[in-house]
PDB file of all heavy atoms in Angstrom:
ATOM      1  N   LEU W  40     -10.816  32.242  32.405  1.00  0.00           N
ATOM      2  CA  LEU W  40     -11.410  30.969  32.004  1.00  0.00           C
ATOM      3  C   LEU W  40     -12.340  31.161  30.810  1.00  0.00           C
ATOM      4  O   LEU W  40     -12.384  30.325  29.911  1.00  0.00           O
ATOM      5  CB  LEU W  40     -12.156  30.339  33.179  1.00  0.00           C
ATOM      6  CG  LEU W  40     -12.541  28.883  33.033  1.00  0.00           C
ATOM      7  CD1 LEU W  40     -11.306  28.030  32.727  1.00  0.00           C
ATOM      8  CD2 LEU W  40     -13.236  28.381  34.276  1.00  0.00           C
ATOM      9  N   ALA W  41     -13.069  32.269  30.779  1.00  0.00           N
ATOM     10  CA  ALA W  41     -13.937  32.568  29.643  1.00  0.00           C
ATOM     11  C   ALA W  41     -13.099  32.796  28.388  1.00  0.00           C
ATOM     12  O   ALA W  41     -13.450  32.334  27.297  1.00  0.00           O
ATOM     13  CB  ALA W  41     -14.801  33.785  29.943  1.00  0.00           C
ATOM     14  N   LEU W  42     -11.973  33.508  28.539  1.00  0.00           N
ATOM     15  CA  LEU W  42     -11.082  33.726  27.392  1.00  0.00           C
ATOM     16  C   LEU W  42     -10.498  32.404  26.907  1.00  0.00           C
ATOM     17  O   LEU W  42     -10.402  32.162  25.702  1.00  0.00           O
ATOM     18  CB  LEU W  42      -9.951  34.686  27.763  1.00  0.00           C
ATOM     19  CG  LEU W  42     -10.356  36.128  28.050  1.00  0.00           C
ATOM     20  CD1 LEU W  42      -9.168  36.919  28.576  1.00  0.00           C
ATOM     21  CD2 LEU W  42     -10.924  36.757  26.800  1.00  0.00           C
ATOM     22  N   TRP W  43     -10.104  31.535  27.852  1.00  0.00           N
ATOM     23  CA  TRP W  43      -9.563  30.227  27.484  1.00  0.00           C
ATOM     24  C   TRP W  43     -10.617  29.433  26.716  1.00  0.00           C
ATOM     25  O   TRP W  43     -10.315  28.789  25.707  1.00  0.00           O
ATOM     26  CB  TRP W  43      -9.125  29.435  28.724  1.00  0.00           C
ATOM     27  CG  TRP W  43      -8.711  28.054  28.376  1.00  0.00           C
ATOM     28  CD1 TRP W  43      -7.497  27.656  27.924  1.00  0.00           C
ATOM     29  CD2 TRP W  43      -9.525  26.871  28.407  1.00  0.00           C
ATOM     30  NE1 TRP W  43      -7.495  26.293  27.672  1.00  0.00           N
ATOM     31  CE2 TRP W  43      -8.743  25.801  27.969  1.00  0.00           C
ATOM     32  CE3 TRP W  43     -10.844  26.629  28.775  1.00  0.00           C
ATOM     33  CZ2 TRP W  43      -9.229  24.505  27.876  1.00  0.00           C
ATOM     34  CZ3 TRP W  43     -11.337  25.346  28.686  1.00  0.00           C
ATOM     35  CH2 TRP W  43     -10.526  24.294  28.242  1.00  0.00           C
ATOM     36  N   GLY W  44     -11.860  29.462  27.192  1.00  0.00           N
ATOM     37  CA  GLY W  44     -12.935  28.724  26.523  1.00  0.00           C
ATOM     38  C   GLY W  44     -13.143  29.186  25.088  1.00  0.00           C
ATOM     39  O   GLY W  44     -13.335  28.377  24.188  1.00  0.00           O
ATOM     40  N   ALA W  45     -13.087  30.478  24.877  1.00  0.00           N
ATOM     41  CA  ALA W  45     -13.245  31.016  23.522  1.00  0.00           C
ATOM     42  C   ALA W  45     -12.081  30.582  22.631  1.00  0.00           C
ATOM     43  O   ALA W  45     -12.282  30.159  21.491  1.00  0.00           O
ATOM     44  CB  ALA W  45     -13.344  32.537  23.573  1.00  0.00           C
ATOM     45  N   ARG W  46     -10.862  30.686  23.151  1.00  0.00           N
ATOM     46  CA  ARG W  46      -9.679  30.274  22.372  1.00  0.00           C
ATOM     47  C   ARG W  46      -9.717  28.781  22.083  1.00  0.00           C
ATOM     48  O   ARG W  46      -9.433  28.341  20.974  1.00  0.00           O
ATOM     49  CB  ARG W  46      -8.396  30.624  23.122  1.00  0.00           C
ATOM     50  CG  ARG W  46      -8.069  32.095  23.146  1.00  0.00           C
ATOM     51  CD  ARG W  46      -6.839  32.365  23.995  1.00  0.00           C
ATOM     52  NE  ARG W  46      -5.661  31.653  23.545  1.00  0.00           N
ATOM     53  CZ  ARG W  46      -4.770  32.120  22.672  1.00  0.00           C
ATOM     54  NH1 ARG W  46      -4.942  33.330  22.162  1.00  0.00           N
ATOM     55  NH2 ARG W  46      -3.727  31.418  22.338  1.00  0.00           N
ATOM     56  N   HIS W  47     -10.070  27.990  23.087  1.00  0.00           N
ATOM     57  CA  HIS W  47     -10.113  26.542  22.928  1.00  0.00           C
ATOM     58  C   HIS W  47     -11.140  26.136  21.867  1.00  0.00           C
ATOM     59  O   HIS W  47     -10.869  25.277  21.026  1.00  0.00           O
ATOM     60  CB  HIS W  47     -10.442  25.882  24.269  1.00  0.00           C
ATOM     61  CG  HIS W  47     -10.502  24.400  24.206  1.00  0.00           C
ATOM     62  ND1 HIS W  47      -9.373  23.631  24.021  1.00  0.00           N
ATOM     63  CD2 HIS W  47     -11.539  23.531  24.284  1.00  0.00           C
ATOM     64  CE1 HIS W  47      -9.721  22.357  23.994  1.00  0.00           C
ATOM     65  NE2 HIS W  47     -11.035  22.279  24.151  1.00  0.00           N
ATOM     66  N   GLY W  48     -12.302  26.774  21.896  1.00  0.00           N
ATOM     67  CA  GLY W  48     -13.333  26.477  20.900  1.00  0.00           C
ATOM     68  C   GLY W  48     -12.849  26.771  19.485  1.00  0.00           C
ATOM     69  O   GLY W  48     -13.087  25.996  18.556  1.00  0.00           O
ATOM     70  N   ARG W  49     -12.168  27.910  19.318  1.00  0.00           N
ATOM     71  CA  ARG W  49     -11.615  28.261  18.003  1.00  0.00           C
ATOM     72  C   ARG W  49     -10.568  27.251  17.559  1.00  0.00           C
ATOM     73  O   ARG W  49     -10.513  26.854  16.395  1.00  0.00           O
ATOM     74  CB  ARG W  49     -10.996  29.656  18.048  1.00  0.00           C
ATOM     75  CG  ARG W  49     -11.841  30.730  17.458  1.00  0.00           C
ATOM     76  CD  ARG W  49     -11.107  32.042  17.221  1.00  0.00           C
ATOM     77  NE  ARG W  49     -10.000  32.356  18.103  1.00  0.00           N
ATOM     78  CZ  ARG W  49     -10.095  33.013  19.257  1.00  0.00           C
ATOM     79  NH1 ARG W  49     -11.251  33.432  19.688  1.00  0.00           N
ATOM     80  NH2 ARG W  49      -9.017  33.263  19.971  1.00  0.00           N
ATOM     81  N   GLN W  50      -9.715  26.825  18.496  1.00  0.00           N
ATOM     82  CA  GLN W  50      -8.656  25.869  18.161  1.00  0.00           C
ATOM     83  C   GLN W  50      -9.233  24.515  17.758  1.00  0.00           C
ATOM     84  O   GLN W  50      -8.765  23.886  16.811  1.00  0.00           O
ATOM     85  CB  GLN W  50      -7.699  25.697  19.344  1.00  0.00           C
ATOM     86  CG  GLN W  50      -6.840  26.913  19.581  1.00  0.00           C
ATOM     87  CD  GLN W  50      -6.131  26.877  20.922  1.00  0.00           C
ATOM     88  OE1 GLN W  50      -6.474  26.085  21.791  1.00  0.00           O
ATOM     89  NE2 GLN W  50      -5.148  27.751  21.081  1.00  0.00           N
ATOM     90  N   VAL W  51     -10.270  24.063  18.455  1.00  0.00           N
ATOM     91  CA  VAL W  51     -10.906  22.783  18.131  1.00  0.00           C
ATOM     92  C   VAL W  51     -11.524  22.843  16.736  1.00  0.00           C
ATOM     93  O   VAL W  51     -11.356  21.924  15.923  1.00  0.00           O
ATOM     94  CB  VAL W  51     -11.967  22.418  19.190  1.00  0.00           C
ATOM     95  CG1 VAL W  51     -12.828  21.263  18.731  1.00  0.00           C
ATOM     96  CG2 VAL W  51     -11.301  22.095  20.511  1.00  0.00           C
TER      97      VAL W  51
END
Side-chain angles (χ1 to χ4, degrees):
L40 194 56
L42 293 173
W43 174 83
R46 287 176 58 91
H47 180 70
R49 259 193 331 271
Q50 289 167 345
V51 168

